[in-house]
Every structure is written in C-alpha cells, then in structure tokens.
Amino acid sequence: MRKARCFSYAQKGNYMIIVTIEKSRIKASGHAGTAPKGQDLVCAAFTMLCHSLIESFGKLTGDSFIYKIDSGSFYFECALPSGQGELLINSYIAGVQLLAASYPEYITVQA
C-alpha cells in the first residue's frame, strides 16, 4: 500500500484544484490552498478520492486503465470500463462534485 501524498503544488496567491472530466478520462491539477501543506483538509479529501478510485479500480475490476498521480496533478483513463468500472467512476465524480459544492472557492469541476 502506498502512502497518500498531498495533492499539492502551490503557486503563491494562485490556489484552485481544477478537475476536467471527459468521456473516458479525468484530469486534475492545482492546490486548494486552504491551509499550509500537510494541514489542508480540502486537498487531503481530494487526494483520497483520487487514491480511492485507483485502488478500487485495481482491486474490484478487471478493466485496463492508466493513471498518473503526482504532486499537483492527477490523470486517469479507462477507455472501456465495465459496469463495475462505470460505477466506480461515477462514485468518484459524485464525491468530487460534493467536495466542489462544499468548497467552490477551492475546487471546480469542468465536465
């Protein structure tokens, strides 16, 4: 099990996590900037949603997918998700949208 790293890269005064959802891919970049690194709860929540999607896909589906998660960026793609895969993607999207609705000044979702 990998240790979850904070989804962060901060450029002074320019804070926002931007999530772009396309048909078969999810891209995200940014940092919420609600608190210093290691104390940012919005960032931590978003990071765990990303890690949960990756781990769930790997353990619960036989689907082929690619991903990259780094400090400040997330990329996920599954061209042909199974029914279970679609459910996991939709669950991730619902979680991100809930987080964005709760903290609209720190995270935005573009679909």
Side-chain angles (χ1 to χ4, degrees):
M1 185 82 156
R2 289 166 293 176
K3 182 178 178 186
R5 294 186 329 198
C6 184
F7 183 89
S8 67
Y9 86 102
Q11 294 178 349
K12 194 167 186 160
N14 186 17
Y15 300 108
M16 173 72 71
I17 296 172
I18 299 170
V19 182
T20 304
I21 299 168
E22 298 171 352
K23 184 176 180 177
S24 64
R25 53 186 100 114
I26 300 164
K27 297 184 274 186
S29 64
H31 177 66
T34 63
K37 185 176 179 179
Q39 299 174 21
D40 190 328
L41 296 180
V42 176
C43 179
F46 182 73
T47 299
M48 289 314 302
L49 286 169
C50 295
H51 280 278
S52 180
L53 175 63
I54 293 164
E55 291 296 317
S56 296
F57 240 83
K59 290 180 179 179
L60 302 175
T61 76
D63 299 350
S64 294
F65 65 99
I66 58 172
Y67 75 92
K68 181 175 182 179
I69 188 164
D70 247 331
S71 182
S73 67
F74 175 66
Y75 180 83
F76 176 89
E77 183 173 354
C78 181
L80 298 169
S82 62
Q84 181 72 14
E86 284 186 27
L87 180 64
L88 292 171
I89 291 169
N90 288 335
S91 178
Y92 168 83
I93 292 168
V96 170
Q97 288 174 334
L98 180 61
L99 190 61
S102 297
Y103 299 97
E105 63 275 20
Y106 301 111
I107 182 168
T108 186
V109 179
Q110 302 168 346

mmCIF file of all heavy atoms in Angstrom, residues 1 16 23 27 31 36 41 48 58 73 75 78 96:
data_model
loop_
_atom_site.group_PDB
_atom_site.id
_atom_site.type_symbol
_atom_site.label_atom_id
_atom_site.label_comp_id
_atom_site.label_asym_id
_atom_site.label_seq_id
_atom_site.Cartn_x
_atom_site.Cartn_y
_atom_site.Cartn_z
ATOM 1 N N MET A 1 0.840 -1.178 0.000
ATOM 2 C CA MET A 1 0.000 0.000 0.000
ATOM 3 C C MET A 1 0.885 1.241 0.000
ATOM 4 O O MET A 1 1.795 1.358 0.796
ATOM 5 C CB MET A 1 -0.886 -0.037 1.243
ATOM 6 C CG MET A 1 -1.888 1.061 1.311
ATOM 7 S SD MET A 1 -3.284 0.602 0.303
ATOM 8 C CE MET A 1 -4.529 1.553 1.038
ATOM 9 N N MET A 16 -6.336 26.746 -6.585
ATOM 10 C CA MET A 16 -7.586 26.168 -7.059
ATOM 11 C C MET A 16 -7.269 24.794 -7.613
ATOM 12 O O MET A 16 -6.307 24.630 -8.354
ATOM 13 C CB MET A 16 -8.215 27.035 -8.155
ATOM 14 C CG MET A 16 -9.425 26.453 -8.847
ATOM 15 S SD MET A 16 -10.959 26.391 -7.902
ATOM 16 C CE MET A 16 -11.417 28.090 -7.830
ATOM 17 N N LYS A 23 -15.117 12.060 -21.540
ATOM 18 C CA LYS A 23 -15.794 10.777 -21.697
ATOM 19 C C LYS A 23 -15.059 9.623 -21.024
ATOM 20 O O LYS A 23 -15.639 8.886 -20.242
ATOM 21 C CB LYS A 23 -16.010 10.478 -23.174
ATOM 22 C CG LYS A 23 -16.780 9.211 -23.406
ATOM 23 C CD LYS A 23 -17.069 8.977 -24.853
ATOM 24 C CE LYS A 23 -17.836 7.676 -25.002
ATOM 25 N NZ LYS A 23 -18.214 7.420 -26.368
ATOM 26 N N LYS A 27 -8.819 14.521 -15.593
ATOM 27 C CA LYS A 27 -7.568 15.248 -15.393
ATOM 28 C C LYS A 27 -7.789 16.268 -14.287
ATOM 29 O O LYS A 27 -8.869 16.851 -14.191
ATOM 30 C CB LYS A 27 -7.145 15.976 -16.667
ATOM 31 C CG LYS A 27 -6.845 15.061 -17.835
ATOM 32 C CD LYS A 27 -6.343 15.834 -19.039
ATOM 33 C CE LYS A 27 -7.511 16.325 -19.854
ATOM 34 N NZ LYS A 27 -7.125 16.961 -21.116
ATOM 35 N N HIS A 31 -3.951 23.130 -6.377
ATOM 36 C CA HIS A 31 -3.878 23.002 -4.925
ATOM 37 C C HIS A 31 -4.969 23.866 -4.317
ATOM 38 O O HIS A 31 -5.180 24.996 -4.752
ATOM 39 C CB HIS A 31 -2.492 23.446 -4.439
ATOM 40 C CG HIS A 31 -2.343 23.420 -2.958
ATOM 41 N ND1 HIS A 31 -2.367 22.247 -2.242
ATOM 42 C CD2 HIS A 31 -2.167 24.413 -2.071
ATOM 43 C CE1 HIS A 31 -2.209 22.531 -0.958
ATOM 44 N NE2 HIS A 31 -2.091 23.829 -0.837
ATOM 45 N N PRO A 36 -1.706 25.459 5.335
ATOM 46 C CA PRO A 36 -0.349 25.064 4.956
ATOM 47 C C PRO A 36 -0.302 23.589 4.538
ATOM 48 O O PRO A 36 -1.132 22.776 4.964
ATOM 49 C CB PRO A 36 0.461 25.273 6.238
ATOM 50 C CG PRO A 36 -0.321 26.261 7.024
ATOM 51 C CD PRO A 36 -1.762 25.999 6.697
ATOM 52 N N LEU A 41 -7.323 20.346 4.532
ATOM 53 C CA LEU A 41 -8.333 19.281 4.528
ATOM 54 C C LEU A 41 -9.013 19.109 3.176
ATOM 55 O O LEU A 41 -9.366 17.990 2.797
ATOM 56 C CB LEU A 41 -9.357 19.524 5.625
ATOM 57 C CG LEU A 41 -8.813 19.482 7.052
ATOM 58 C CD1 LEU A 41 -9.926 19.736 8.061
ATOM 59 C CD2 LEU A 41 -8.129 18.159 7.337
ATOM 60 N N MET A 48 -7.532 11.766 -1.404
ATOM 61 C CA MET A 48 -8.056 10.445 -1.049
ATOM 62 C C MET A 48 -9.105 9.963 -2.041
ATOM 63 O O MET A 48 -9.197 8.757 -2.311
ATOM 64 C CB MET A 48 -8.600 10.441 0.380
ATOM 65 C CG MET A 48 -7.491 10.525 1.423
ATOM 66 S SD MET A 48 -6.085 9.402 1.128
ATOM 67 C CE MET A 48 -6.871 7.807 1.091
ATOM 68 N N GLY A 58 -8.221 -1.073 -9.388
ATOM 69 C CA GLY A 58 -7.259 -2.168 -9.421
ATOM 70 C C GLY A 58 -7.736 -3.421 -8.716
ATOM 71 O O GLY A 58 -7.451 -4.541 -9.129
ATOM 72 N N SER A 73 -0.915 16.995 -9.731
ATOM 73 C CA SER A 73 -1.588 16.543 -10.944
ATOM 74 C C SER A 73 -2.134 15.122 -10.778
ATOM 75 O O SER A 73 -1.583 14.309 -10.041
ATOM 76 C CB SER A 73 -0.646 16.594 -12.148
ATOM 77 O OG SER A 73 0.391 15.657 -12.014
ATOM 78 N N TYR A 75 -4.166 12.106 -13.376
ATOM 79 C CA TYR A 75 -4.674 11.701 -14.682
ATOM 80 C C TYR A 75 -5.165 10.267 -14.556
ATOM 81 O O TYR A 75 -4.476 9.413 -13.993
ATOM 82 C CB TYR A 75 -3.572 11.780 -15.747
ATOM 83 C CG TYR A 75 -4.059 11.373 -17.117
ATOM 84 C CD1 TYR A 75 -4.717 12.288 -17.939
ATOM 85 C CD2 TYR A 75 -3.888 10.076 -17.581
ATOM 86 C CE1 TYR A 75 -5.179 11.918 -19.193
ATOM 87 C CE2 TYR A 75 -4.352 9.696 -18.839
ATOM 88 C CZ TYR A 75 -4.991 10.620 -19.638
ATOM 89 O OH TYR A 75 -5.468 10.256 -20.872
ATOM 90 N N CYS A 78 -9.748 5.228 -18.647
ATOM 91 C CA CYS A 78 -10.225 3.861 -18.879
ATOM 92 C C CYS A 78 -11.148 3.926 -20.094
ATOM 93 O O CYS A 78 -12.272 4.413 -19.995
ATOM 94 C CB CYS A 78 -10.964 3.312 -17.665
ATOM 95 S SG CYS A 78 -11.549 1.612 -17.904
ATOM 96 N N VAL A 96 -16.261 14.131 -5.942
ATOM 97 C CA VAL A 96 -15.589 15.375 -6.341
ATOM 98 C C VAL A 96 -16.603 16.515 -6.461
ATOM 99 O O VAL A 96 -16.343 17.640 -6.029
ATOM 100 C CB VAL A 96 -14.801 15.177 -7.659
ATOM 101 C CG1 VAL A 96 -14.312 16.499 -8.216
ATOM 102 C CG2 VAL A 96 -13.629 14.238 -7.430
#
